[in-house]
Amino acid sequence: QEKELLEKQRRDEEERKQQELLAKQRKEDEKKQKDLNEKEKVAEGQRKQQELLEKQRQEEERKQKELLEKERKQEEEARKKKDLLEKQQRQEEEKKQKELLEKQRKQAEDTKQKELFEKQKKEEEQKKQLEKQRKEEEDRKQKS
C-alpha cells in the first residue's frame, strides 16, 4: 500500500510538472503572439503614415502645377493685351498722320504749293519705310 501511495505521489508530481510546463509554454506562446500583433500594429501604422505623406506630397505637387499654369496663363494674357494696345496705338498714330498729310495736301493745293507737298510726301514715305524697317528689326531682336 505504501508503494502504491509513493507511485501515486510520483505520478501526481509528474502530472503537476507536465501541467506547469504546458502552462509555461502557453504563456510564452501568448507573449510571442502578443509581441507579433504589436509589431504588425506598428508596421501598419507606419505604412498608413507613409501613404498619408505620399498623398500630401502628390497634392502639393498638383497644387504647384496648377499655380504655375495659372501664372503662365496670366502672363500670356498680359502679353496679348500689351501687344493689342501697342497695335491700336500704332494704328491711331498712322490714322492721325494720314489725316495730317491729307490736310497738308489740301492746304498745298489751295496755296498752289503742290511741288513742295509732293516732296514732303516722298520724305514722309521714306521716313515711314525706315521706321517700319527699324520696328521690324526691333521686333525680330525681341523675339530672338
Side-chain angles (χ1 to χ4, degrees), residues 69-106:
E69 183 60 21
K70 190 176 175 185
E71 285 175 7
R72 189 193 63 74
K73 282 183 179 173
Q74 286 174 341
E75 286 171 5
E76 181 71 16
E77 279 302 309
R79 189 189 58 73
K80 283 181 182 174
K81 283 181 184 175
K82 182 176 170 256
D83 289 351
L84 184 64
L85 189 65
E86 285 175 355
K87 185 180 177 185
Q88 288 171 340
Q89 287 172 340
R90 276 196 312 275
Q91 288 173 339
E92 190 61 34
E93 198 54 46
E94 286 172 9
K95 184 181 171 191
K96 283 181 184 174
Q97 196 62 34
K98 271 186 180 176
E99 288 171 357
L100 185 64
L101 282 171
E102 185 58 27
K103 190 176 172 185
Q104 288 174 345
R105 187 188 64 75
K106 282 181 181 172

Side-chain angles (χ1 to χ4, degrees), residues 30-72:
E30 284 174 2
K31 186 181 181 332
K32 281 181 186 174
Q33 189 59 44
K34 190 178 172 189
D35 288 349
L36 189 64
N37 290 346
E38 191 58 34
K39 279 182 185 174
E40 284 176 1
K41 242 171 145 180
V42 169
E44 180 66 14
Q46 287 175 338
R47 190 186 59 74
K48 283 187 178 175
Q49 183 67 20
Q50 284 301 109
E51 282 179 3
L52 186 66
L53 286 171
E54 181 59 21
K55 271 187 185 174
Q56 288 172 339
R57 187 192 64 74
Q58 287 175 350
E59 182 63 16
E60 242 348 274
E61 216 172 75
R62 186 188 62 76
K63 284 182 183 175
Q64 191 62 29
K65 271 186 184 174
E66 281 179 6
L67 190 66
L68 287 171
E69 183 60 21
K70 190 176 175 185
E71 285 175 7
R72 189 193 63 74

